Amino acid sequence: MNPSALIEIAKTHGSPVYVYNTDKISEQYNRLTSAFAQVPQLRINYAVKALSNVSILKYMHSLGAGLDTVSIQEVQLGLQAGVPADKIIFTPNGVSLQEIEEVAALGAQINIDNLSVLEQFGSKHPNVPVCIRINPHVMAGGNANISVGHIDSKFGISIHQLPHILRIVDNTGMRINGIHMHTGSDILDIDVFLHAAEILFDTARAFNDLEFLDFGSGFKVPYHPNDIETNIEELGEKLGERFQAFCNEYGKPLTLAFEPGKFLVSQAGYFLTQVNVVKQTTSTVFAQVNSGFNHLIRPMLYGSQHHIENISNPQGRERFYSVVGYICETDTFANNRRIAEISEGDVLCFHNAGAYCFTMASNYNARYRPAEVLWHQGEAKLIRNAETFEDLLRNQVELDFTPAISEAI
Ligand SMILES: *Cc1c(COP(=O)(O)O)cnc(C)c1O
């Protein structure tokens, strides 16, 4: 997005503020569908947890996307956005049987990831078609926190337990209409992903009533200049071809589903903050912004490197800064980063602020969660107000205590 438009938004709506550009979302959506153009039945279910503002969900729906959800509340947000229940898949982990039953009653596609719930749900609701989330035990990417296919992961049913799955399906008479996997957050090696896909195909052969195969997500997007990314075009070509061959063998056209979060919204988002203080210590120049990990936790939680630009002085001479927040705790956004010369009052723009930024924000230090703005067709539209003091008090129950009478003379 053009820096002057962002500066204008920071002036109009204040800062900190999140801004999302619909052009980038549709560009990514089209890039993914084009990559898989050879697959006649493709479903893109946007992972709501990345960015769950209802206006974003409506925009996804307008592009033709369905939704991938992990809680009943995300399902309800999708319904609120006008997404029909049959375009919503529910892929929770460790939630109660009751929550799964409530979502099934809303009409969303259920995806079950453990044998206990599979058996209970199948016994009670043999007529509700269910998808099964498998764990193919393929390690994608290097970070154990975001790789969810490895052997000790809490996600999915191990492929080694396929005999047990089949026994439950047989005993309950339930119908399995989809097989799902979601191996982790960073697909960098297409061949590793194709290997996991073969495991999914092998599993699928054991079921004869399937309608779709869901390959989850894990598309890596670049976070800073020169960063690596998943080669979507190569993946589309290779997996698309393999998928078509599998459908021929299976004897029925199936739907190929994906559930990208980051890929669709990460690069569409900008987080604008203002520099309160420039502080020089013996070895470091700190730029302290009016935010902290309460608003954007990814650098502290995952070590993510969000590219930071000084949009108030884009042509300025570059110097080295540590960009930190105003939280009373270490909240480093960037260490020793080259940024165009910063003065107090400048607006710093954090890139890749679309996915897992606002949705992970909190009220820590009793700060308000920021406003969200959608940049659509050249216009800035407010899609969430910044919080106010009332929001901090909402749901609190105030008790009264009489202060002790001071004995001081
Ligand atoms: C989080 C999640 C996704 C989205 O992952 P991204 O890395 O944001 O694309 C997809 N599917 C499931 C089941 C998830 O939990």
Side-chain angles (χ1 to χ4, degrees), residues 240 280 346 350:
Q280 180 105 41
D346 282 357
F350 291 67

Side-chain angles (χ1 to χ4, degrees), residues 96-138:
S96 68
L97 175 66
Q98 186 193 342
E99 182 169 337
I100 292 174
E101 290 177 323
E102 282 169 21
V103 170
L106 293 173
Q109 169 72 49
I110 301 301
N111 188 3
I112 292 181
D113 98 324
N114 65 84
L115 292 170
S116 166
V117 166
L118 186 70
E119 182 163 3
Q120 294 176 73
F121 190 87
S123 307
K124 287 175 77 176
H125 313 281
N127 297 322
V128 178
V130 162
C131 174
I132 290 177
R133 176 175 186 171
I134 60 158
N135 180 349
H137 303 307
V138 173

